[in-house]
Amino acid sequence: MGAGASAPGAFDRLPDMVDETTAMAILGKCFDRADWETITSGSGKVRKDTFITTISVRNHAPSLRAWLEFWRIDELLEVLESLDVMSPTDIALLEEKEVSKIGLKTVQQKHWQKAVAHGKYLESIHFDKPPSPLYLWLETWRLERIHKGLFDLGCDVKEDLIDLTEADAALLNMKLLEERRWKQATQQLIKVIRKFDFNDNTRSSTPSLETWLVSLKLEELNEPLRLLGVVELCDLGDMDDRELASLGLNKLQRKHWDMGMLQVLNAKKEAGLDGKNDDPTFRGWLESWRLYRLADTMKDLGAYVQQDLLDLEPSEYSLLKMRPLEAKRFEQAMITLEEEFQAWGEN
């Protein structure tokens, strides 16, 4: 966008009614006449709040495809993904020879220039975050079992979940604790729908290494990382520059890697709580409390990691069919786990 858009307080200083000259000055190369005619209804002016909302919606595209649709170049999605483009800010990093291979048509070239300018603007305002596709969100809430059901309902991105009714959700046949996590997760999602990250203090957890790599378009690194001894996300922090260089990342892949590593480093506390760091398995946690006999019953209730059990009410502990001493150990385990979450939330 124009230099005016990225200046601090630029939108606050706009007049109550924005005319075309002002809009062009603040949007610069990103000014789109078709959009302008739509939001002004041909009047040549638009209310300030409408103008700002239009820009905000475009900045918060739910997917690369949706963002390309804004600029009417969505037919380029497949070729851009083949070039490792993951987000709007990536296209400005493409080499000239790579852009020439795309074969832009005459009008597409104009739209492309606007899209590149918009990508640079998003980077300038630090709006460049790793994507969080639906499958990653589901895995962090241990709800991946319902992925197919959501797909059958027509949900492709997290934003689609907002349109689900309680009757729709009932068709997913969730287990008791899955249903409770679903309610927590969807309530939280409304607040951070396009800023979701897994390094927060909710009861979501870190995703698997494989899912994290796929979300960053780095799935081809699965085998090289395995050969380096990486098992979980927390292992990535042990890699040095020499080991990173051995992966042979190109410019866009390295950018995606660095963005993802910020997530991983920020999620270390989360990893420690959900067992991904200090003990990689739910089984290990159960064995440490001598509760492994209950594993199958917990799975039937929808508990897949220890923090899932925090959604059980004390009056429902009987559902686990514990023996007397198991019940005592379980209650102590719940107290300890709850204290860990509370201590983290206070930090």
Side-chain angles (χ1 to χ4, degrees), residues 218-269:
L218 295 171
E219 55 268 31
E220 64 269 33
L221 299 183
N222 257 315
E223 183 61 16
L225 289 173
R226 186 187 70 80
L227 294 175
L228 286 173
V230 175
V231 179
E232 297 286 351
L233 284 184
C234 56
D235 298 331
L236 299 176
D238 297 328
M239 293 176 61
D240 57 29
D241 291 341
R242 178 178 56 82
E243 291 159 341
L244 178 57
S246 72
L247 299 178
L249 303 179
N250 63 34
K251 184 163 59 176
L252 280 179
Q253 289 174 327
R254 179 57 191 267
K255 177 195 172 190
H256 302 163
W257 175 271
D258 290 341
M259 292 168 68
M261 283 304 296
L262 287 176
Q263 287 181 312
V264 172
L265 294 175
N266 288 335
K268 278 192 172 181
K269 288 184 178 179

Side-chain angles (χ1 to χ4, degrees), residues 56-343:
S56 180
V57 168
R58 180 158 295 188
N59 289 349
H60 288 78
S63 64
L64 178 62
R65 179 192 293 275
W67 182 77
L68 292 171
E69 287 174 347
F70 278 140
W71 296 112
R72 300 187 289 287
I73 51 175
D74 49 293
E75 63 187 83
L76 304 180
L77 176 65
E78 187 174 342
V79 66
L80 289 175
E81 288 184 333
S82 72
L83 293 171
D84 291 317
V85 171
M86 177 186 75
S87 65
T89 56
D90 287 347
I91 65 172
L93 296 177
L94 290 174
E95 303 288 346
E96 188 174 338
K97 61 182 180 180
E98 294 172 323
V99 176
S100 64
K101 291 179 182 177
I102 296 175
L104 295 170
K105 301 171 186 176
T106 302
V107 175
Q108 282 181 331
Q109 290 177 1
K110 298 178 180 179
H111 296 164
W112 177 264
Q113 291 172 357
K114 294 177 182 179
V116 170
H118 188 223
K120 290 180 177 178
Y121 166 71
L122 291 175
E123 187 168 20
S124 74
I125 61 173
H126 308 293
F127 211 79
D128 192 16
K129 291 190 66 174
S132 54
L134 177 61
Y135 59 82
L136 183 143
W137 181 83
L138 287 170
E139 185 174 300
T140 62
W141 282 98
R142 285 85 63 202
L143 293 170
E144 58 266 42
R145 195 180 66 84
I146 66 173
H147 191 185
K148 184 181 183 304
L150 288 172
F151 181 79
D152 291 342
L153 287 172
C155 295
D156 296 312
V157 294
K158 299 189 307 298
E159 286 74 4
D160 292 336
L161 302 182
I162 293 177
D163 295 320
L164 290 178
T165 64
E166 289 186 7
D168 296 327
L171 298 174
L172 298 173
N173 296 317
M174 288 180 277
K175 299 176 181 179
L176 174 66
L177 296 181
E178 287 175 336
E179 187 173 347
R180 291 184 183 174
R181 289 198 299 279
W182 169 265
K183 290 179 179 178
Q184 293 175 44
T186 50
Q187 287 172 0
Q188 184 220 21
L189 186 61
I190 299 300
K191 302 175 184 177
V192 294
I193 190 143
R194 293 177 187 170
K195 297 181 182 179
F196 172 72
D197 208 343
F198 53 77
N199 49 33
D200 54 37
N201 62 352
T202 65
R203 289 180 184 171
S204 62
S205 57
T206 55
S208 65
L209 175 66
E210 182 178 1
T211 297
W212 180 79
L213 288 172
V214 171
S215 76
L216 296 169
K217 291 188 64 63
L218 295 171
E219 55 268 31
E220 64 269 33
L221 299 183
N222 257 315
E223 183 61 16
L225 289 173
R226 186 187 70 80
L227 294 175
L228 286 173
V230 175
V231 179
E232 297 286 351
L233 284 184
C234 56
D235 298 331
L236 299 176
D238 297 328
M239 293 176 61
D240 57 29
D241 291 341
R242 178 178 56 82
E243 291 159 341
L244 178 57
S246 72
L247 299 178
L249 303 179
N250 63 34
K251 184 163 59 176
L252 280 179
Q253 289 174 327
R254 179 57 191 267
K255 177 195 172 190
H256 302 163
W257 175 271
D258 290 341
M259 292 168 68
M261 283 304 296
L262 287 176
Q263 287 181 312
V264 172
L265 294 175
N266 288 335
K268 278 192 172 181
K269 288 184 178 179
E270 178 93 22
L273 286 175
D274 64 25
K276 299 287 185 180
N277 188 33
D278 51 357
D279 193 328
T281 65
F282 185 28
R283 173 173 180 160
W285 182 83
L286 289 172
E287 288 179 341
S288 72
W289 286 98
R290 284 88 66 206
L291 294 170
Y292 187 66
R293 191 184 67 83
L294 309 175
D296 289 343
T297 304
M298 291 177 177
K299 183 177 179 181
D300 291 341
L301 288 173
Y304 307 118
V305 298
Q306 48 266 46
Q307 64 205 63
D308 292 342
L309 298 170
L310 292 173
D311 292 325
L312 276 177
E313 297 292 338
S315 60
E316 296 171 326
Y317 289 175
S318 60
L319 295 173
L320 296 172
K321 301 175 183 177
M322 293 180 283
R323 295 167 181 167
L325 294 183
E326 287 175 334
K328 291 182 179 181
R329 291 197 296 274
F330 182 79
E331 290 179 7
Q332 185 58 49
M334 291 298 95
I335 292 172
T336 302
L337 192 58
E338 188 67 55
E339 287 176 349
E340 288 182 3
F341 270 91
Q342 289 177 353

Side-chain angles (χ1 to χ4, degrees), residues 2 18-31 33 36 51:
V18 180
D19 60 24
E20 185 170 347
T21 301
T22 303
M24 292 180 71
I26 200 165
L27 295 178
K29 293 181 180 179
C30 290
F31 181 79
R33 187 164 298 282
W36 178 253
F51 181 68

